[in-house]
Amino acid sequence: MQTLGWREWGALPELGINAIKMKVDTGARTSCLHAFKLEPFSKNGENWLRIWIHPEQHSDRELVCEAKIHDQREVTDSGGHTELRYVIKSKLKVGDFYNDVELTLTNRDSMKFRMLLGRQAMRGVFLVDPDASYLQGVLS
């Protein structure tokens, strides 16, 4: 198993995100990605989303990507607030790991990290060292 620190760099190449700082969150079941605007649309008879992202904290740089809607779920955040969120699937690259993960989408503009890496994505692949950071290397 690979070891992660409490924060790591990852990439979501299918979404055009070459580097994103993630908080490794063993308290979160599903991974979560920042999206400040969502626009559902139909493509070849399937439900898709156009997603607007600020991939870096403290930056106005916008990235617009598209993904097929996998699901919609009620998610309770750490503050106890429940929200209905879209769920997409995308390939995630962290170190040698490259696999599909589920991502819920919500506005994380006020949060320090643009992405949370949840337990489902880590299960059976990663151990977490809460004293360490960026054990899988730095992307830019």
Side-chain angles (χ1 to χ4, degrees):
M1 285 191 164
Q2 298 178 65
T3 302
L4 299 175
W6 72 272
R7 57 188 172 176
E8 291 290 343
W9 284 96
L12 298 162
E14 293 176 332
L15 301 178
I17 300 172
N18 298 324
I20 190 164
K21 190 165 56 169
M22 304 178 298
K23 179 180 179 186
V24 176
D25 189 350
T26 60
R29 185 170 75 82
T30 307
S31 300
C32 177
L33 179 64
H34 164 70
F36 68 90
K37 181 179 174 184
L38 299 171
E39 181 180 276
F41 68 98
S42 181
K43 182 176 180 179
N44 298 325
E46 297 179 315
N47 295 322
W48 282 65
L49 275 177
R50 193 162 289 113
I51 307 161
W52 281 259
I53 300 170
H54 293 133
E56 300 99 20
Q57 186 71 13
H58 309 299
S59 171
D60 290 335
R61 184 173 82 86
E62 290 183 11
L63 177 66
V64 181
C65 54
E66 295 179 353
K68 183 178 170 185
I69 297 172
H70 175 66
D71 197 5
Q72 274 191 289
R73 295 185 195 142
E74 284 195 353
V75 176
T76 303
D77 66 21
S78 60
H81 307 98
T82 300
E83 173 185 39
L84 184 63
R85 295 184 188 173
Y86 285 106
V87 181
I88 63 170
K89 282 188 175 181
S90 184
K91 295 278 188 208
L92 171 67
K93 177 152 179 44
V94 180
D96 294 333
F97 176 83
Y98 185 72
N99 211 343
D100 282 323
V101 295
E102 289 186 352
L103 298 162
T104 66
L105 303 171
T106 193
N107 190 321
R108 296 184 53 80
D109 266 334
S110 63
M111 304 294 187
K112 187 173 180 180
F113 293 88
R114 295 303 190 196
M115 183 174 162
L116 296 180
L117 184 63
R119 290 189 312 271
Q120 281 182 330
M122 292 185 268
R123 185 171 287 126
V125 180
F126 296 111
L127 299 173
V128 180
D129 180 348
D131 289 327
S133 294
Y134 309 120
L135 295 177
Q136 297 300 316
V138 177
L139 301 172
S140 55

